[in-house]
Amino acid sequence: MYIRLASIAFAAVFALGAQEQAEKDSGWKKAETPDAFHADDYVVPPGTKVPLSMINSISTKTASEGERIYLETVFPILANGRVVIPPGSYVAGTVTDVKRPGRMHGRGELYIRFDSLTLPNGVTRDFRARMGSLDGRAAETLDKSEGKIKSEGNKAGDLKTIGEAAGVGAGIGGLGGASAGHPGMGAGIGAAAGAAAGLIGVLLSRGPDAVLAKGTTMEMVLDRPLQFAGTELDFGNSMQRPRGSDGPGPLPSKKSGAMNRRFPL
C-alpha cells in the first residue's frame, strides 16, 4: 500500500518537473524568436513598391563604390488603413559597383541598393531593398534582374560625328581643289580626311555616362516586411520642412542633341 502511494507521489513530482522544464524551454524559444508580430503592430509586407525621388545626383563619371545616395518618399504607404511611411521620409542607399562607358562600345553602369528608412519623426529601420522601376523620362534603362542602371548607347551619335566630319572635310577639300582646278579630287580627299578625323574623335571619346540626377523618380521594392508599433507612428510633432528632391529630374537623351564631339581638321 505504502509502496503504491510512494510510486504515485514520485510520478506526480516527475510530471510536474517535466512540465516546468517544458515551460522553460518554451519561454526560451519565444525569447529567441526575433521580430514577433503583435496584434497592434503595423506591417508593410514584402513586395510593396515605395515611390522615391533623388535628393542628390550621382553619375558613373564621378561615383565610386561605397558612395551614399539619398532619396525621399513621394507617396504615402499605408498598413491597416493607417499611414506608416508618409511622404518626405528619408531613404539612404549605397552605390555597390560602377562601370564607366567604353570607347566605341559598352555603356556606363550603376548598381545601387537601398539600406535604411527614416520617418519624419526620427523612427529608423535598416533593411535591404532593390529598385523596381526607373523614371520613364530618363535616357537610362534598368535591368530589373540584376538591379543595374545602364546609360544609353550612342552608336547613332558616333555615325553622325563621322558623317559630319566627312562632310566638313569634303567642303574644305572641294574649295581647295577648285582653286587648283581639281574640285572633285579635292572634295574626295577632304571627305576621306574628315571621316578619318571624325573616327579618331570617336575612338578618343567615351560614350554617355549613366546619371541619376536630382529629382529623378524611381520605385523601391521591399524584400522583407517592415514592422512598426502604433506608438512609432505619431507624426503630429514632426518638423515640417521643404522638399529636398525638387530638381530638374532626368537629363535629356544625348542622341537628340547636336554633335558634341570635337575632331581635328
Side-chain angles (χ1 to χ4, degrees), residues 44-54 69-75 77 85-86 89-94 112-119 125-135 142 144 216-226 228:
V44 183
T48 299
K49 297 179 179 180
V50 183
L52 304 174
S53 181
M54 289 286 297
I69 63 171
Y70 304 98
L71 313 95
E72 65 178 357
T73 60
V74 295
F75 193 82
I77 303 300
I85 305 178
S89 300
Y90 288 123
V91 172
T94 303
I112 66 173
R113 70 163 187 257
F114 303 109
D115 300 323
S116 66
L117 168 73
T118 302
L119 302 181
R125 290 290 185 272
D126 293 328
F127 60 92
R128 293 291 181 270
R130 58 183 173 85
M131 187 181 297
S133 65
L134 183 61
D135 199 319
L142 172 66
K144 295 182 181 181
T216 300
T217 58
M218 62 193 69
E219 280 187 336
M220 173 179 70
V221 181
L222 300 179
D223 64 353
R224 65 192 65 184
L226 287 182
F228 299 93

Side-chain angles (χ1 to χ4, degrees), residues 146-166:
E146 299 183 17
K148 174 172 56 180
I149 302 166
K150 300 177 66 175
S151 65
E152 62 177 334
N154 201 35
K155 291 182 179 179
D158 293 340
L159 294 175
K160 181 180 178 182
T161 298
I162 297 172
E164 291 185 356

Side-chain angles (χ1 to χ4, degrees), residues 135-140 151-154 208-214 216 248-258 260:
D135 199 319
R137 302 169 295 172
E140 288 72 20
S151 65
E152 62 177 334
N154 201 35
D209 282 285
V211 179
L212 291 179
K214 180 179 180 180
T216 300
L251 301 181
S253 172
K254 296 179 177 62
K255 293 181 180 179
S256 59
N260 55 8

